[in-house]
Amino acid sequence: MYRHEATRAITAQRAFGIVRAPTPAEAATAAGAVLDAGLDAVEVALTTRGATRAIEELTTARPGALVGAGTVLDATAARAAIEHGARFLVSPSLHREVIRTGHRYGVPVFPGVSTPSEMVRALEEGADALKLFPASVVGPSWVRDVRAALPQAPLVPTGGVTVENAPEWIAAGAVACGMGSALTSGGAGAAGARVAALLDALARAR
């Protein structure tokens, strides 16, 4: 799968899950729950101890799933995540070496941005999509205003996005939303119900 194909697949549902957990086993379980509930893509944050083991376990058990690594801060972390099967990389910040490492191995990278200047720089560096972080400090109307000037910016709001407000972000022009505890917490049953509600809401929002 080429980078552009992977990016399209990751954003096709207009949302992907973000998992942070105390152990790799718990991370794999939480990620598996949202994948089993119908979400196509999920990232495991590298702040999880043993996160790469969870990524490898998930990609081995679910070869068709789009499992990525989040909180990727440098080239070393990017390479390790890719070697363990990560199919996309997400960062809370903008680092050229993370983008270059991902692209060297054909993996899309979504760096973190929070201003129009950072968005332009990320696009110049070749970012595949832009993680708007933290989204909680702005709002959908901010995305709408920014995209009036930068319609080419593929924004992925993350941090503060919920099942209830995700459709508003998409309506404002975001290509997808990254969702953490608002989607994945509370066990498999609760997460599954949220995924179903989210996908239904996004389908109606389109």
Side-chain angles (χ1 to χ4, degrees):
M1 183 179 288
Y2 292 107
R3 264 179 31 227
H4 71 276
E5 294 174 315
T7 301
R8 188 179 302 116
I10 293 160
T11 59
Q13 288 183 315
R14 302 291 191 260
F16 59 84
I18 301 169
V19 170
R20 297 181 182 86
T23 68
E26 290 172 276
T29 298
V34 296
L35 291 171
D36 289 342
L39 209 59
D40 291 338
V42 63
E43 69 170 81
V44 178
L46 296 187
T47 49
T48 298
R49 182 171 57 85
T52 54
R53 284 185 310 206
I55 292 169
E56 186 169 30
E57 177 183 329
L58 287 161
T59 55
T60 299
R62 296 173 168 82
L66 296 159
V67 179
T71 323
V72 182
L73 301 180
D74 53 40
T76 301
R79 173 70 183 271
I82 293 167
E83 287 180 341
H84 285 82
R87 299 180 67 183
F88 64 100
L89 305 178
V90 184
S91 176
S93 50
L94 174 56
H95 293 289
R96 183 184 186 191
E97 64 269 23
V98 173
I99 297 174
R100 294 187 70 181
T101 301
H103 290 181
R104 185 175 298 123
Y105 299 102
V107 173
V109 182
F110 305 167
V113 297
S114 59
T115 67
S117 294
E118 289 180 341
M119 292 175 195
V120 172
R121 182 182 159 209
L123 291 172
E124 290 172 344
E125 296 290 356
D128 301 279
L130 311 178
K131 173 179 176 174
L132 174 61
F133 180 80
S136 57
V137 303
V138 290
S141 62
W142 187 90
V143 166
R144 188 176 291 108
D145 291 343
V146 168
R147 290 198 74 257
L150 297 173
Q152 73 274 30
L155 298 177
V156 181
T158 306
V161 179
T162 66
V163 172
E164 292 74 25
N165 67 26
E168 297 175 36
W169 290 102
I170 299 303
V175 297
C177 296
M179 300 179 63
S181 59
L183 189 64
T184 61
S185 64
R194 292 193 198 101
V195 169
L198 172 67
L199 295 179
D200 179 65
L202 292 177
R204 286 187 282 107
R206 294 184 197 178

